Amino acid sequence: MEYQAWFECIRCGSRHDLDQVVYECECGGLFEVVHDMEALGRRPGTEWRRLFDQRYMGTVWPYGSGVWGKKEMVCPAVDDDNVVSIYEGGSNLFWADRLGDEMGVGELWIKQCGHSHTGSFKDLGMTVLVSMVKQMRADGQAIPAIACASTGDTSASLAAYGAAAGIPVIVLLPKDKISVSQLIQPIANGALTLSIRTDFDGCMRLVRGLVKSENVYLANSMNSLRIEGQKTVGIELLQQFDWVVPDWIVIPGGNLGNVSALGKGFLEMRQMGLVDRLPRLAVAQARNADPLYRSYRTGFESFEPVEASDTLASAIRIGDPVSWERAIRVMRRLDGVVEEATEAELADACARADRSGLFTCPHTGVALAALEKLIAHGTIRPDSRVVVISTALGLKFPEFKVGYHEDRLGEFEVTPSHANRPVEVDADLEQVRRAVLETVDSVYA
Ligand SMILES: *Cc1c(COP(=O)(O)O)cnc(C)c1O
Ligand SMILES: [Zn+2]
């Protein structure tokens, strides 16, 4: 095999093959996937770029996928026949021209990672993990099922990929803390769906116990195979920018796997000569679940888990993030900052963005609200090119959207500044005309 990768402990450096069932080192450190960078470095950066561009969105299996088009630096250990792909990646890079003008930033782009098979960026990582499991089963390992704890999007993604591969899936969800759309996804895909009377951190503890006592494979992001798929978001972004590195990337953070992945991708691309500079990172957290923000305020000197309270940004309602150590490492190397947003700020940021043609999920709202603050504080300068990673599709969060526009988010202390209510009238032209003239006044004026 020309390209090699293995699990390596981020604390003590101990190694395992990618087909070993290991999540955490005996020393307590997490593993990360490390690639043979010397082998990858034998091909010049310009050639890697050409190869990735030539495959991008094509139809040659499995290289048309935005993830598998970078297979050599993602997961070379899986045979093409065992790849489980639903054509992930290739997501829209929305030029948020009007919103950028309003916010006072030179160029604003929204990377629409939610425009994917199950409606969130989680598909980028799940394709790699489920493919590896298919490979292990093909090689004779007994893995009866894959399991995860989730705030709603990981479970949707795992259920879809498991169903596509014909591998049983078990998901552990916090009861009443995810949207109806998210709940119905694993149910529809035939996963064993456990609705548990606890929060995400509680589900996480339970699934860790389950994988210890049973032979099921763990799909949470402490399993670093997912990070390898997720890191392709940064590579794809550069493909879309003709390999010009943006100044800032703003990304919402919960378990902190995604920011770790984004940073890892950029560091590897620089090492392989695909780029010669790095962007700066801004992680955005909800104030009600903000352990990384608090750590940032200490200069990352310490990290303490917090008890997360309810937030509209339910997918990042995580007080004890698994990947905090990975995240701090990349934040240090990419000169990262952390900002937070209140419920009112994230809700209004979503509504404002939606009025410029987007349809944002609350996590993207956290990122946009944080961006507003970073511009106001002068951290992000007005001439910058900024990319916001939109992590999920707004359509997955109808309760949030409707609640905002009907002014029913009082329990989150949200008083909507941009509410827009439907106007109900009879099927009568005069009533319709009156409604139009009353509400669209300003248009005629
Ligand atoms: C998972 C998720 C996040 C957080 O990503 P982490 O890797 O846990 O930091 C943010 N937004 C959405 C919509 C998600 O599903
Ligand atoms: Zn170790």
Side-chain angles (χ1 to χ4, degrees):
M1 220 192 302
E2 201 179 350
Y3 300 102
Q4 307 261 353
W6 54 89
F7 288 126
E8 192 171 306
C9 172
I10 64 173
R11 289 192 193 154
C12 75
S14 80
R15 291 182 179 190
H16 297 273
D17 290 340
L18 293 186
D19 62 2
Q20 298 290 296
V21 182
V22 288
Y23 313 113
E24 218 174 14
C25 183
E26 283 167 7
C27 81
L30 288 181
F31 290 108
E32 69 174 346
V33 175
V34 173
H35 293 266
D36 177 352
M37 294 309 287
E38 199 185 303
L40 288 167
R42 272 180 227 130
R43 198 193 288 245
T46 47
E47 272 184 41
W48 281 120
R49 288 184 186 185
R50 198 171 317 128
L51 180 67
F52 293 167
D53 284 345
Q54 174 204 325
R55 292 168 172 172
Y56 185 57
M57 311 281 291
T59 51
V60 179
W61 178 265
Y63 299 95
S65 149
V67 172
W68 295 100
K70 291 97 185 167
K71 186 180 175 198
E72 294 84 350
M73 63 178 293
V74 168
C75 192
V78 173
D79 297 337
D80 287 356
D81 288 346
N82 286 322
V83 167
V84 183
S85 170
I86 321 181
Y87 207 61
E88 41 290 319
S91 60
N92 183 1
L93 183 60
F94 182 99
W95 189 2
D97 212 7
R98 283 188 58 217
L99 186 61
D101 278 352
E102 254 184 57
M103 293 176 78
V105 65
E107 257 186 49
L108 179 60
W109 300 80
I110 315 286
K111 180 61 173 160
Q112 301 273 49
C113 298
H115 291 196
S116 73
H117 188 74
T118 69
S120 86
F121 75 84
K122 298 296 199 296
D123 292 352
L124 297 175
M126 207 53 80
T127 180
V128 176
L129 183 138
V130 175
S131 297
M132 194 68 225
V133 172
K134 189 170 174 197
Q135 179 74 48
M136 290 157 76
R137 284 162 59 109
D139 293 341
Q141 286 198 52
I143 301 175
I146 313 178
C148 74
S150 178
T151 52
D153 289 329
T154 299
S155 41
S157 191
L158 176 60
Y161 281 88
I167 300 173
V169 165
I170 304 158
V171 302
L172 285 74
L173 297 169
K175 186 171 156 43
D176 298 331
K177 290 192 165 63
I178 68 171
S179 74
V180 172
S181 314
Q182 288 172 319
L183 178 60
I184 197 63
Q185 289 182 285
I187 291 173
N189 286 137
L192 170 60
T193 306
L194 301 172
S195 184
I196 304 181
R197 291 178 289 271
T198 179
D199 62 2
F200 170 80
D201 294 311
C203 290
M204 191 66 224
R205 281 190 290 274
L206 289 165
V207 79
R208 286 169 84 150
L210 185 70
V211 299
K212 238 178 231 148
S213 64
E214 307 305 320
N215 203 13
V216 299
Y217 192 81
L218 178 66
N220 280 98
S221 59
M222 62 187 298
N223 185 328
S224 51
L225 288 167
R226 280 178 49 202
I227 307 274
E228 290 311 289
Q230 287 172 205
K231 80 184 181 191
T232 62
V233 67
I235 310 172
E236 179 170 303
L237 198 58
L238 291 191
Q239 290 186 283
Q240 290 172 307
F241 278 131
D242 282 328
W243 301 97
V244 177
V245 179
D247 301 306
W248 283 92
I249 302 180
V250 187
I251 182 169
N255 231 347
L256 306 177
N258 211 22
V259 61
S260 306
L262 182 67
K264 184 175 192 279
F266 273 99
L267 291 165
E268 288 174 356
M269 278 193 282
R270 190 175 61 173
Q271 217 178 330
M272 290 164 64
L274 276 91
V275 294
D276 53 15
R277 59 179 284 248
L278 300 170
R280 292 190 66 189
L281 297 185
V283 172
Q285 293 209 293
R287 177 167 293 170
N288 291 349
D290 64 349
L292 189 70
Y293 177 73
R294 291 167 192 236
S295 168
Y296 171 68
R297 301 298 299 239
T298 70
F300 295 129
E301 283 298 305
S302 63
F303 184 90
E304 298 294 334
V306 301
E307 177 94 20
S309 23
D310 272 344
T311 168
L312 292 160
S314 49
I316 56 175
R317 188 194 187 284
I318 296 175
D320 187 6
V322 161
S323 292
W324 66 270
E325 210 173 337
R326 290 174 174 147
I328 288 179
R329 222 162 40 141
V330 304
M331 291 296 276
R332 287 211 165 106
R333 296 186 65 183
L334 278 79
D335 198 9
V337 302
V338 186
E339 187 51 271
E340 63 173 4
T342 65
E343 299 301 299
E345 287 166 344
L346 77 86
D348 273 334
C350 274
R352 185 174 173 196
D354 290 359
R355 291 176 85 99
S356 75
L358 286 149
F359 193 73
T360 47
C361 76
H363 323 87
T364 306
V366 173
L368 289 167
L371 171 60
E372 254 179 77
K373 291 180 172 175
L374 292 167
I375 294 167
H377 300 163
T379 308
I380 295 185
R381 293 218 321 269
D383 58 349
S384 306
R385 175 186 271 188
V386 180
V387 180
V388 168
I389 304 291
S390 173
T391 45
L393 199 61
L395 288 169
K396 288 184 99 167
F397 301 90
E399 299 91 345
F400 162 66
K401 292 290 191 194
V402 175
Y404 180 89
H405 289 288
E406 292 187 348
D407 192 6
R408 285 196 284 102
L409 299 181
E411 60 171 307
F412 293 97
E413 291 171 12
V414 173
T415 314
S417 315
H418 307 286
N420 184 24
R421 304 286 292 272
V423 181
E424 205 176 313
V425 293
D426 292 328
D428 169 71
L429 182 59
E430 204 37 52
Q431 281 193 37
V432 171
R433 275 192 69 232
R434 215 178 307 130
V436 169
L437 293 175
E438 266 169 29
T439 45
V440 206
D441 250 6
S442 54
V443 176
Y444 288 99

